[in-house]
Amino acid sequence: MQGMLEGKVAVITGAGSGVGRAAVKIWTEHGAKVIAADINLPSAEESVQLAGAQQGQAKAVECNVADPDSVIAAIAAAVETFGRLDVIYNNAGITINPEPGKGMLRLVDAPLDQMKRVEDVNINGVIFGCQAAIRQFEAQGSAGAIVNTASVAGLMGYGGVLYGATKGAVVNLTRTLAIELANQGIRVNSVCPAGMLTHYAGLDPDSPQKDQILEGMAKAHPLGRAIDPGDTATAAMFLASDMASNITGVNLPVDGGLTAGRKIGG
Ligand SMILES: NC(=O)c1ccc[n+]([C@@H]2O[C@H](COP(=O)([O-])OP(=O)(O)OC[C@H]3O[C@@H](n4cnc5c(N)ncnc54)[C@H](O)[C@@H]3O)[C@@H](O)[C@H]2O)c1
């Protein structure tokens, strides 16, 4: 079978863990050449190794998405290593870590330095990724695809207030940028996952309580399954691929039906 991303060159941010790690594996299996970018270089290197991609098909780079020059350097690495850029997957994201035993912090209790950090990574990080990718698409004279990782927290009230505000910004940036770029053939979409058991929010995917946590997550979704990072990476791959060539401005929930509504009665 021809891979969904055969011949495409992609930069994936937040590639060292969770969704990003899953994307490095699944996207390379589908023929993409990938720059795995993460603020934590050893974790990105491990993702490349775990992907078991063909020699030279994926390369790890250190990249802080909150620093525009660092993002530009990641795009430059794609051009230098693979000759061009077709896709940026702006996936890196963080939240204010809950205090043990206290759950999500209330907005009024959020420390200013952490608030600024979350805004910088979740909003500016996506903006810098979009800007750098658009400049490269324009320099190549090509179209291209931008995929962002937003969240169901950008579509509905769900979890931390500030985090939801940043993801709401990503959702609307996705729509407005899609309109702005449509006449250049550059598509902009996002995936909006529900809760996943990754390192996000200080969770531990290798926790001894893993099965109980996943069971609890599964119950929150009409389809009755927890969302796996691979579910999100696969949805993002579809949006990045030519199979979605007439789709732009979409914020695609990957949530087992969570945002579809509630069943009333039996
Ligand atoms: N896990 C969830 O419940 C959940 C739900 C909805 C949306 N999301 C979103 O999914 C995306 C991926 O999160 P995840 O669950 O895989 O979390 P994760 O913590 O497992 O992975 C995030 C990765 O991003 C990297 N990162 C953090 N700050 C960075 C920066 N400034 N520059 C570059 N890389 C940076 C981390 O080193 C890490 O490798 C995020 O945007 C997150 O907001 C997660």
Side-chain angles (χ1 to χ4, degrees):
M1 189 189 88
Q2 176 92 345
M4 280 175 72
L5 293 179
E6 211 62 59
K8 303 269 190 210
V9 176
V11 170
I12 299 171
T13 70
S17 177
V19 174
R21 175 164 286 180
V24 174
K25 181 163 175 49
I26 295 167
W27 290 30
T28 52
E29 282 169 359
H30 277 264
K33 293 178 178 151
V34 165
I35 294 292
D38 202 288
I39 198 165
N40 179 341
L41 180 60
S43 72
E45 287 171 338
E46 199 181 333
S47 294
V48 167
Q49 201 190 355
L50 288 170
Q54 282 176 13
Q55 192 69 22
Q57 204 189 344
K59 180 181 177 178
V61 301
E62 186 175 336
C63 168
N64 175 8
V65 297
D67 171 2
D69 290 336
S70 185
V71 180
I72 289 166
I75 303 285
V79 176
E80 203 174 290
T81 313
F82 301 124
R84 57 183 289 109
L85 179 77
D86 299 295
V87 179
I88 186 160
Y89 182 16
N90 294 307
N91 165 70
I94 58 172
T95 190
I96 296 175
N97 280 352
E99 281 179 43
K102 282 196 176 171
M104 284 292 170
L105 279 187
R106 297 189 320 148
L107 181 67
V108 288
D109 298 327
L112 186 60
D113 59 334
Q114 284 200 47
M115 287 169 65
K116 289 197 163 147
R117 180 90 192 122
V118 171
E119 289 165 16
D120 263 356
V121 174
N122 291 11
I123 304 178
N124 291 335
V126 172
I127 291 172
F128 297 148
C130 291
Q131 286 182 320
I134 294 161
R135 287 183 190 128
Q136 181 57 34
F137 296 150
E138 290 181 344
Q140 291 169 187
S142 73
I146 295 171
V147 183
N148 303 318
T149 299
S151 168
V152 293
L155 302 172
M156 65 189 284
Y158 182 89
V161 175
L162 183 78
Y163 178 76
T166 65
K167 292 301 186 177
V170 173
V171 163
N172 216 36
L173 175 145
T174 298
R175 295 190 186 109
T176 47
L177 188 60
I179 299 301
E180 183 168 285
L181 297 175
N183 64 358
Q184 293 173 257
I186 300 172
R187 299 184 300 103
V188 190
N189 294 291
S190 89
V191 283
C192 299
M196 296 168 287
L197 184 51
T198 63
H199 287 289
Y200 164 85
L203 292 170
D204 176 8
D206 302 315
S207 150
Q209 281 84 43
K210 180 181 174 180
D211 290 345
Q212 280 159 273
I213 298 170
L214 287 173
E215 209 178 303
M217 285 175 151
K219 285 187 185 140
H221 308 128
L223 283 179
R225 279 168 37 207
I227 311 302
D228 186 82
D231 297 332
T232 302
T234 304
M237 176 170 71
F238 165 68
L239 292 171
S241 78
D242 290 342
M243 293 179 95
S245 65
N246 213 2
I247 298 177
T248 197
V250 159
N251 293 288
L252 178 64
V254 184
D255 67 351
L258 179 72
T259 53
R262 271 188 195 183
K263 194 172 184 182
I264 306 289

